[in-house]
Amino acid sequence: MPFATLSRSAAGGATLHEHTTKPFSLLGVTWADPTVAITGVVQIRTRARGTGRWTGWQNLESDGSQPGDARGSTDPLWVGESDGVRARVVGGARRALPAGLRIDLINPDASAASPTPALGGSSKPAGTDKLARSSTGNAISTAGTRAQAVPLPTRPVPGMVTRRGWGANESIVQGAPEYTGPVGVFFVHHTATGNSYSCSQSAAIVRGIQAYQVRSKGWDDIGYNFLVDKCGNVFEGRAGGVGRPVLGAHTLGFNTDASAIAVIGTFDRIGVSSAVRTAIATVAAYKLGAYGNDPAGRVTVISGGGNLYPKGARATFWRISGHRDAGRTDCPGDVLYSQLPSIRKIAGAAPAGLRFQHMTGAVKRGRLLYTRGAIKPLWNLATPSALINRFEILVDGALVLAEPGGHRTALLHLTPGGHTVTIRAEHLSGRVSTVTAEVVSDATAPVFTAGPEVALRTGALDGTVPIRLGWAASDVNGLSSVRLLRPSAVDLGTVTHGRDGTLRPGVPATFTVAATDRSGNVASGSVTRTPVVVSEAGSQRTGTWRTLSNPNYLGGVALGSTAAGATASWTFTGRSAALVFGRGADSGRVRIFVDGTDAGLVDLRSTSTVYRQAVWSRSFDDDGSHSVRVELEGPAVLDGLVYLH
């Protein structure tokens, strides 16, 4: 690590005139005694490598010394690839400057860092590693599974670039990591390294900060537990394991039972983006929530000794605090500090906007969902997945399945009956939100309690035979639809139980009816019937009858009689029968006998003359042999018999 010594100026300050150097990208000013504070303002100018252009004067900030510092120091500043430097200290003419004042120049890419395996055992090349979220994958559970038997997903690690990913130089790390107690407070810093960097340079800045804090300040390793750039990319900081309470070197007097993140840049005049606020909140919730500490709450701690709280003093902090809350410093900058309330709100909030988007395998009817047993709920929420610890799926209050925070669906098998299905979202902070759905599981198909059956009905025989299709279906949870599938597709509704139609004589017709319940179970039934027309001439008759001719009669002829007591009868094999007469003003009544039993009278009188009328019909419980006989009480025109088989 090259450095250049500042010489005292005649005015009592210190200067370094234009000085050509080896390439560097980050620099800081250090001095021999870490207990001595520099007076005045340290300013530098750098010359861009390649263009030869000099920057304007830039101030270097200083947060004071920490125990264990080998030298006093300013905060480092990222200047990009440079090969020249100038420096001066202004405003401190009346007080002596510390001895050994020099500029430490760091080139993060001067030598290859010694890589360590990525967390989680990844063997990806350096520069590409990210800490992946842990996941157990989808599991299938059934209602009634004991809660203690349900595996819970591993608490997810926020996505971040590992030490190997940013190229940490493990060869300069001094000693093994140390560990503290449960994390009770999380400090937010800024690195004060300036904002004139692209996020593709962030890993180099982190390498530079590590080199500066180890080689210039004499620390064991980089001091921050985490860093985040202005694009929201999080970096693993001090070694020891992101999920463990690693003792850092970040907040004088309050490193014990604490963790910290530093935003790469300077934020006294500008704030950080929403992506950065969310990234800070995610890491803070991850660290604090792991120990049941509310990221939006407060905590009282005992100082280990610093420049604001002496050793042993009690200090009450927000669980997420700025560096300046614990020490005399401007860190993390005025604007970023003013953003801490919004960061606490994100970190400590319950999951927002949790809702069911869809329930595959279920149909909604009113407030209830109906399923045949297997459902796949799909849910969503407004809170980013990075802030979600896990989702728990409960059936009737019992935990049956748990999913990682990035998942949005799961497969459930429900036993028959009504159930309450609950999705419980748990934030990294520990706060939860729930959404519930009432689901009825029904794997039993509807039942046809009658039919489907086809029967003859009264009406005109105008080349076709009038019939009525009848059915009755039921389901314990209700029907959603009844449909005629053959001979044509018709929605029959769930209230009616019959539909009128016609059939062509002598042509078999199949009727198929399907009943669907609210869960989607389907039952269907079919019936095939053929209408047969038997002419009046085919009957067995008594009394006096005469043949009548008229194209309006079936076949052009009919039998007429005015003799009371005249009879006509047929014997057939079928399930339904209908009698066909002509009707008019002079028509009388006929008595009907079915299988020898009196079935009542039919009055054939009509104000107008009509032909080919089925005036009476009857259906039977079987497809056996039956007889129908008519006995006249007055004039009548007999046109035949129709039956179905």
Side-chain angles (χ1 to χ4, degrees), residues 454 467 469 484-490 502-503 508-513 527:
V454 176
I467 57 96
L469 174 67
L484 178 65
L485 305 182
R486 296 176 63 188
S488 58
V490 178
T502 59
L503 293 180
T510 298
F511 292 83
T512 300
V513 179
V527 60

Side-chain angles (χ1 to χ4, degrees), residues 442-518:
D442 175 13
T444 304
V447 175
F448 278 96
T449 56
E453 186 52 87
V454 176
L456 294 169
R457 63 178 174 85
T458 59
L461 276 72
D462 293 326
T464 59
V465 176
I467 57 96
R468 182 171 180 81
L469 174 67
W471 67 90
S474 66
D475 186 88
V476 66
N477 291 309
L479 296 173
S480 65
S481 70
V482 178
R483 294 186 61 82
L484 178 65
L485 305 182
R486 296 176 63 188
S488 58
V490 178
D491 185 357
L492 301 175
T494 60
V495 177
T496 60
H497 300 285
R499 182 179 178 86
D500 290 344
T502 59
L503 293 180
R504 292 170 58 197
V507 179
T510 298
F511 292 83
T512 300
V513 179
T516 305
D517 66 16
R518 292 175 175 177

Side-chain angles (χ1 to χ4, degrees), residues 417-430:
H419 301 283
T420 300
V421 176
T422 302
I423 305 298
R424 182 178 184 269
E426 182 177 298
H427 197 279
L428 284 175
S429 67

Side-chain angles (χ1 to χ4, degrees), residues 149-170:
V150 177
L152 299 180
T154 304
R155 184 174 171 83
V157 177
M160 65 182 70
V161 182
T162 65
R163 287 174 65 88
R164 178 176 179 172
W166 56 263
N169 188 346
E170 305 296 353

